[in-house]
Amino acid sequence: MFSKGAKRKLDEDEEVLEGKTLEASAAGGGFGLGHEGLSKVSYTLQRQTIFNISLMKLYSQRPLNEPSLERRVLINNMLRRIQDELKQEGSLRPLLLPPSPPPDDPMDEGFREAPPTFGVLSAAVTAQVSPPSALLMPMIIPPPSPHPSVPPACPPPLDVCLTPASLLEDDSADSSFCTSSPPTPPLSPPPLQSQTSAAISPPPASSSDVSDMALRPSTAINRTAAANSMTVTTSLTPTTLTHASHLTASSPASLGPAKDCRTSGSKTEAACVSLAEGCCAELRPMDALPAVAPVAPLDLYPSHSPHSTPSGFLTDLALDDVLFADIDTSMYDFDPCVTAGVVSVSAGTSLTKMSPVVTADDLLKSLTAPYSSPTPQVSANQPFKIDLTELDHIMEVLVGS
Amino acid sequence: MAGVAGGNDFQWCFSQVKGAIDEDVAEADIISTVEFNYSGELLATGDKGGRVVIFQHEQESKNRPHLRGEYNVYSTFQSHEPEFDYLKSLEIEEKINKIRWLPQQNAAHFLLSTNDKTIKLWKISERDKRAEGYNLKYEDGRLIDPFRITSLRVPVLMPMDLMVEASPRRIFANAHTYHINSISVNSDHETYLSADDLRINLWHLEITDRSFNIVDIKPANMEELTEVITAAECHPHQCNVFVYSSSKGTIRLCDMRAAALCDRHSKFFEEPEDPSSRSFFSEIISSISDVKFSHSGRYMMTRDYLSVKVWDLNMENRPVETYQVHEYLRSKLCSLYENDCIFDKFECCWNGSDSAIMTGSYNNFFRMFDRNTRRDITLEASRESSKPRATLKPRKVSTGGKRKKDEISVDSLDFNKKILHTAWHPKENVIAVAATNNLYIFQDKIN
């Protein structure tokens, strides 16, 4: 702690910010028992913040000394707990989980149209997700932590949360996650990541991932779909839609793959990837709310077939993209240690800095590529300015700030 | 013994402070453990630089009758050096995690010191005489040819300046894969245990190449690991009994007579969680950072992040006493999590008669609780009040609402100044408080 004494001022600033969040959550009654809207929102927000902090903690260690096992276990338990909670809420799951297809069932139209096993989406609409958190996120996460090199981390998809466990393996050769980790890509995250990269910029370098993912033809398909949607940036093409519905539909089945990922012990890359894709995954549900709300929840059901989707859903997606881009830029701006133009991605920087060993080529590529070309995001941002301010307003009302 | 706080009977007053005054604190000078020996005559500190400093209590001086004598440096030695683990490519810090004295058997003193991996047994002995008058060697040390020695000369002991020697007697290495958090000398005076995050080993003090693993909680698959051992201690009187605490806030008492492997506990102490105070941080703040048996052996005390609990060994379902150390931090847990303070490992200690307990807090505050009167007091270790015999003023942290005069608000607490290690003289009301790189010694005021 002493070494961090210099950062005291910053810490205080952020405490103020945090205090607000905490107060809000306290007012709401903690576990969302009180005021439907507000409490839920602040609770989700707090959870999100904690989640982000936890991830940063796990992946931003200085590998000089062996890190404390107790600390790692406790942080890991925290992540597990939040993850379990998300699972129980169910509604978040489909949107949070990376669209990993079932192992032996390559994703196709038929699968997508398979009836959902439960009313995930309807639940999602009933205020399970908080719109503000998505917007607040960039403001809250930023340069808070004692780890200056760590940028705002975004929540990873659920199965990635599990990966830290593998890091605990101490007796094995790759005891410290920072130094070891052969470039084994996680099994399931990549699909989402592909969206991420696609959404942010043309999906260039992640191709290495694709090859690694050869097990899953579906991944590739999905990727291209996402890419398409993004190369057309502003226009909401049916592809985006398909992609989204695919997200929801596949989720029930994605439990299996999630487990795979866990046992496979996806390592550092998974983490990095998760940071990036987390944004994407997390934001979708969040901002989906305001726009979707007017639409009757049930309407979403039909959306499993891509063609029957109500227009409201389309708008969401558009907003997603905007928010997504927006947040991404903010990440970009916030990172204090970016020497202009260098990899700004938090996870990327911190990890590469800490342990050069990790710098597997594909990791670097996949990380740097999307972020080093910020231009597309900016352009994508423009057309949706209005929507953003609207959202801002809604959020203000909700939070009452 | 009188109450800690407050009664009218006595107050705490400043006695001494050790360590540099500089604002700039060298990392190596940060005190990482404090321990009185069984008589209280010696006080040992270990620091992050791997050094052990031993202070000795000097007899009362006639010209300062109001003071009970001071502790002065008796011996300083480098106990551990930094090492490098080539297999893991990690540094092994030299930081002294714990010091434990052995009961004194002869003129020499023995102590165990440990860093993350290696435990050492040190002998601290005095020498104030040396033998003179050998006729076997020349002055420069060369041996004299035996044929030239014609007479028998018996060397004589001549007085010399007192020299205190610290020599390593045993080195207990290579038995811990994880970080050693506790060592505890058994009441049989022959064995001791050492605990790391996942295992507890039992050693004989004379045998360094072998130890018995008595507890192992490492799961076959490390991904299933959700709990670690945070502290362990031997019972002060029953050499077959020891306890260990976990990161989930539980304490297990094991009986070594039951089985050689104590993976299965005899008693399991756990307080059910209060659902009303449940939060994301419930588990982290319930993690036990220290466990100490009372001198009587009837009770044990555990410290978690926000409180100290006293348990009766005969009651497992809840503690008999719970004291809040800094409850005002409950609303700050998120920040404390973020800046890692929530993982600070505060220790706790009993006074000589088990009637009072002490533990540390932030802002160089430390807390004492009188078990009989249930009174508590917050005191501060600071140089400002460090005039001889200056009475320590009770401090108060304002919790919300208006801040009264002399109160400090929660927001202005300095979380870089924390008191993790404290020790209470086993017989008298003298306490040692480690505040970063300074060691404060306070005593009760004699009226």
Side-chain angles (χ1 to χ4, degrees):
Chain A
M1 284 299 100
F2 294 93
S3 54
K4 289 157 196 154
K7 283 212 62 182
R8 185 105 186 110
K9 268 196 178 163
L10 234 181
D11 281 347
E12 271 165 6
D13 286 346
E14 141 220 328
E15 259 166 40
V16 174
L17 234 183
E18 231 166 62
K20 267 187 193 162
T21 0
L22 288 178
E23 275 165 33
S25 75
F31 275 65
L33 300 171
H35 245 239
E36 266 293 305
L38 185 59
S39 67
K40 199 66 203 176
V41 163
S42 50
Y43 176 74
T44 325
L45 183 59
Q46 190 190 8
R47 179 169 65 192
Q48 197 58 60
T49 314
I50 295 170
F51 198 91
N52 295 339
I53 297 173
S54 306
L55 275 177
M56 278 192 313
K57 283 185 182 304
L58 273 190
Y59 292 109
S60 66
Q61 296 236 2
R62 287 157 295 179
L64 201 59
N65 303 314
E66 205 172 336
S68 153
L69 184 65
E70 179 189 355
R71 182 173 171 274
R72 274 189 287 163
V73 165
L74 288 171
I75 296 173
N76 202 47
N77 287 353
M78 171 82 83
L79 286 171
R80 273 187 230 223
R81 211 198 114 190
I82 295 181
Q83 178 205 347
D84 285 349
E85 232 178 85
L86 292 172
K87 256 188 200 159
Q88 272 176 8
E89 286 177 18
S91 59
L92 281 180
R93 194 175 62 177
L95 298 157
L96 269 175
L97 273 181
S100 36
D104 16 329
D105 184 11
M107 178 97 41
D108 57 10
E109 292 294 313
F111 174 66
R112 250 180 262 144
E113 278 165 11
T117 40
F118 50 86
V120 218
L121 273 178
S122 62
V125 178
T126 50
Q128 288 283 3
V129 255
S130 71
S133 54
L135 283 169
L136 274 182
M137 208 55 62
M139 313 189 312
I140 288 169
I141 318 168
S145 72
H147 317 285
S149 63
V150 179
C154 286
L158 289 182
D159 50 352
V160 182
C161 320
L162 288 172
T163 55
S166 65
L167 304 177
L168 297 169
E169 199 57 70
D170 207 11
D171 281 344
S172 71
D174 40 6
S175 57
S176 75
F177 48 86
C178 292
T179 48
S180 64
S181 77
T184 358
L187 283 183
S188 44
L192 237 192
Q193 189 234 347
S194 68
Q195 301 164 14
T196 321
S197 58
I200 302 163
S201 66
S206 35
S207 56
S208 58
D209 283 330
V210 180
S211 61
D212 285 325
M213 296 316 299
L215 321 168
R216 285 173 201 206
S218 57
T219 318
I221 296 168
N222 179 28
R223 172 186 302 277
T224 38
N228 286 343
S229 73
M230 266 337 273
T231 29
V232 199
T233 4
T234 49
S235 73
L236 303 165
T237 55
T239 23
T240 332
L241 183 84
T242 328
H243 161 73
S245 60
H246 146 70
L247 256 180
T248 44
S250 68
S251 54
S254 58
L255 266 183
K259 270 207 172 146
D260 287 353
C261 170
R262 176 183 174 156
T263 43
S264 80
S266 45
K267 299 211 167 59
T268 355
E269 288 114 301
C272 309
V273 169
S274 72
L275 291 181
E277 75 196 339
C279 274
C280 174
E282 187 50 33
L283 284 175
R284 276 171 206 284
M286 302 267 178
D287 47 77
L289 183 53
V292 176
V295 183
L298 285 178
D299 285 349
L300 289 175
Y301 262 103
S303 76
H304 289 290
S305 74
H307 305 288
S308 58
T309 327
S311 56
F313 205 63
L314 280 175
T315 353
D316 306 345
L317 287 171
L319 283 176
D320 290 353
D321 293 338
V322 178
L323 282 173
F324 185 36
D326 175 56
I327 279 167
D328 223 49
T329 3
S330 69
M331 281 173 77
Y332 200 84
D333 297 335
F334 266 119
D335 191 342
C337 5
V338 188
T339 43
V342 192
V343 202
S344 75
V345 183
S346 43
T349 17
S350 61
L351 273 175
T352 37
K353 253 189 206 161
M354 315 253 145
S355 54
V357 198
V358 194
T359 351
D361 274 350
D362 45 351
L363 165 62
L364 257 187
K365 267 190 218 152
S366 59
L367 280 170
T368 51
Y371 293 93
S372 50
S373 54
T375 18
Q377 327 166 4
V378 181
S379 64
N381 208 348
Q382 310 290 335
F384 299 100
K385 273 270 158 67
I386 308 157
D387 296 327
L388 245 189
T389 43
E390 267 175 19
L391 267 182
D392 252 324
H393 179 69
I394 295 173
M395 194 201 76
E396 266 174 32
V397 173
L398 274 174
V399 178
S401 60
Chain B
M1 185 168 300
V4 286
N8 301 321
D9 28 23
F10 75 89
Q11 294 170 306
W12 288 95
C13 64
F14 173 84
S15 172
Q16 286 176 275
V17 59
K18 310 282 185 186
I21 312 171
D22 274 2
E23 280 290 302
D24 263 355
V25 178
E27 176 84 4
D29 292 338
I30 296 173
I31 297 172
S32 53
T33 183
V34 185
E35 192 77 9
F36 279 103
N37 73 345
Y38 284 79
S39 65
E41 188 211 348
L42 298 179
L43 172 63
T45 64
D47 64 26
K48 288 196 172 179
R51 287 160 302 195
V52 172
V53 181
I54 299 170
F55 301 93
Q56 184 186 39
H57 187 234
E58 313 250 309
Q59 293 310 307
E60 295 161 43
S61 59
K62 280 172 197 150
N63 44 2
R64 299 163 81 193
H66 52 270
L67 279 181
R68 262 203 226 107
E70 297 191 330
Y71 281 85
N72 291 320
V73 175
Y74 179 62
S75 173
T76 303
F77 58 94
Q78 187 76 32
S79 170
H80 287 71
E81 301 276 358
E83 290 175 79
F84 195 78
D85 183 335
Y86 290 94
L87 283 179
K88 294 183 181 172
S89 287
L90 292 171
E91 283 176 16
I92 301 171
E93 282 180 290
E94 64 272 33
K95 174 187 162 217
I96 307 295
N97 289 347
K98 284 277 151 58
I99 291 176
R100 286 292 177 271
W101 290 93
L102 271 59
Q104 192 172 3
Q105 316 269 22
N106 52 31
H109 299 272
F110 289 86
L111 62 79
L112 290 168
S113 65
T114 186
N115 69 349
D116 284 340
K117 303 284 181 187
T118 306
I119 305 153
K120 295 184 180 179
L121 174 67
W122 291 89
K123 177 185 183 184
I124 294 100
S125 52
E126 293 182 0
R127 187 187 294 183
D128 58 356
K129 296 182 181 64
R130 70 200 143 101
E132 268 181 14
Y134 285 103
N135 62 345
L136 301 175
K137 284 179 188 172
Y138 293 111
E139 279 184 5
D140 58 1
R142 281 182 301 125
L143 279 175
I144 299 176
D145 186 349
F147 297 108
R148 294 174 178 265
I149 301 173
T150 53
S151 62
L152 176 68
R153 255 169 68 189
V154 179
V156 285
L157 289 176
M158 302 291 287
M160 63 169 206
D161 287 345
L162 180 72
M163 212 169 70
V164 180
E165 288 178 328
S167 49
R169 279 315 168 97
R170 301 276 182 275
I171 295 178
F172 309 90
N174 305 322
H176 285 280
T177 311
Y178 302 92
H179 290 182
I180 298 174
N181 52 46
S182 306
I183 45 178
S184 177
V185 180
N186 205 343
S187 55
D188 60 13
H189 299 185
E190 285 193 339
T191 58
Y192 74 93
L193 61 77
S194 59
D196 68 23
D197 294 314
L198 297 178
R199 301 191 178 99
I200 300 177
N201 292 333
L202 182 69
W203 302 82
H204 193 282
L205 280 165
E206 297 293 323
I207 300 167
T208 59
D209 60 352
R210 200 177 344 151
S211 72
F212 296 94
N213 178 233
I214 51 176
V215 174
D216 186 347
I217 64 164
K218 183 175 182 291
N221 178 2
M222 279 291 272
E223 287 181 25
E224 288 156 19
L225 179 66
T226 59
E227 186 173 13
V228 298
I229 298 168
T230 54
E233 191 175 55
C234 294
H235 191 278
H237 309 305
Q238 291 166 283
C239 63
N240 53 298
V241 171
F242 69 96
V243 292
Y244 67 93
S245 61
S246 92
S247 60
K248 285 195 189 300
T250 61
I251 309 107
R252 289 172 175 84
L253 182 141
C254 301
D255 186 343
M256 287 186 266
R257 292 175 304 187
L261 288 175
C262 298
D263 287 342
R264 254 177 287 163
H265 50 261
S266 305
K267 289 193 176 196
F268 183 72
F269 299 85
E270 182 180 32
E271 183 172 34
E273 188 185 22
D274 175 9
S276 69
S277 61
R278 229 178 136 242
S279 83
F280 284 112
F281 304 104
S282 297
E283 182 186 340
I284 298 182
I285 62 173
S286 72
S287 177
I288 293 176
S289 51
D290 196 15
V291 58
K292 292 269 170 64
F293 277 108
S294 64
H295 295 88
S296 68
R298 166 80 187 269
Y299 302 98
M300 65 181 171
M301 161 170 59
T302 58
R303 173 71 154 92
D304 55 45
Y305 190 62
L306 294 180
S307 65
V308 186
K309 292 171 183 165
V310 176
W311 303 76
D312 187 328
L313 291 194
N314 300 316
M315 187 165 77
E316 297 167 62
N317 60 347
R318 64 186 161 84
V320 286
E321 296 155 33
T322 300
Y323 302 96
Q324 301 304 332
V325 177
H326 38 217
E327 184 65 16
Y328 43 81
L329 295 183
R330 195 176 284 279
S331 59
K332 305 272 172 202
L333 290 178
C334 197
S335 306
L336 294 163
Y337 180 53
E338 187 161 28
N339 65 16
D340 260 2
C341 282
I342 205 169
F343 299 107
D344 286 337
K345 300 195 76 168
F346 291 100
E347 294 172 6
C348 51
C349 63
W350 297 86
N351 73 344
S353 62
D354 297 339
S355 64
I357 55 183
M358 169 171 61
T359 190
S361 177
Y362 292 103
N363 206 50
N364 273 1
F365 286 173
F366 58 98
R367 304 262 291 147
M368 288 189 202
F369 304 94
D370 187 307
R371 298 182 57 209
N372 299 321
T373 63
R374 294 286 174 140
R375 264 197 288 225
D376 66 287
I377 190 171
T378 307
L379 298 172
E380 180 182 8
S382 90
R383 291 214 174 247
E384 274 149 45
S385 57
S386 59
K387 274 174 243 125
R389 292 191 71 202
T391 307
L392 293 190
K393 243 191 348 192
R395 307 306 304 254
K396 204 156 184 214
V397 178
S398 72
T399 52
K402 258 189 170 173
R403 186 162 61 91
K404 288 179 218 133
K405 201 176 149 240
D406 286 345
E407 283 187 354
I408 181 167
S409 96
V410 182
D411 295 319
S412 45
L413 294 175
D414 187 343
F415 288 95
N416 286 320
K417 293 181 179 170
K418 47 192 121 188
I419 290 181
L420 303 174
H421 318 281
T422 58
W424 203 312
H425 191 290
K427 294 175 179 142
E428 295 177 59
N429 274 324
V430 174
I431 54 171
V433 173
T436 315
N437 61 331
N438 289 129
L439 179 71
Y440 288 85
I441 297 170
F442 304 106
Q443 58 186 20
D444 62 330
K445 199 164 197 164
I446 305 167
N447 289 319

